[in-house]
Amino acid sequence: GRRNADLLPSVNATVTLAERMNLRLAAFRTVARPDTREFSPDCYVERVGGLQTCGTPGLRRGLVDNADARWEWYPREGEIVAVSAFA
């Protein structure tokens, strides 16, 4: 079978900018592995739409590097204003 020992690191940090304000940062790696139908040399018909789909035998897993940032402000008890970005 196909075996890969993928290292999937993750780093997270929360920085306090003010008494009611935080900056959260994260970086991590994920893996996308094809299922059996996706790399099978056979074709099959989709249940919805009835389209024929054929697998790609040379398909490999993909490693994805991710990053995100989130600014948070807590103006009053039970309230939050936040802006997030990710790549």
Side-chain angles (χ1 to χ4, degrees):
R2 297 176 187 221
R3 295 197 177 167
N4 296 301
D6 295 314
L7 182 62
L8 303 174
S10 174
V11 176
N12 300 281
T14 301
V15 179
T16 302
L17 302 175
E19 184 179 340
R20 295 177 171 261
M21 194 178 301
N22 291 330
L23 178 63
R24 297 180 186 271
L25 304 169
F28 52 98
R29 176 174 287 158
T30 56
V31 63
R33 292 189 175 101
D35 66 27
T36 305
R37 289 188 305 174
E38 292 174 319
F39 65 81
S40 168
D42 296 327
C43 296
Y44 60 95
V45 176
E46 299 281 351
R47 288 183 184 215
V48 177
L51 298 175
Q52 182 176 355
T53 302
C54 298
T56 306
L59 197 60
R60 297 165 155 232
R61 72 169 185 348
L63 295 174
V64 183
D65 292 322
N66 306 278
D68 63 59
R70 178 180 167 107
W71 171 80
E72 302 171 331
W73 174 45
Y74 303 93
R76 288 189 286 269
E77 184 75 30
E79 295 180 340
I80 183 172
V81 177
V83 177
S84 299
F86 62 92

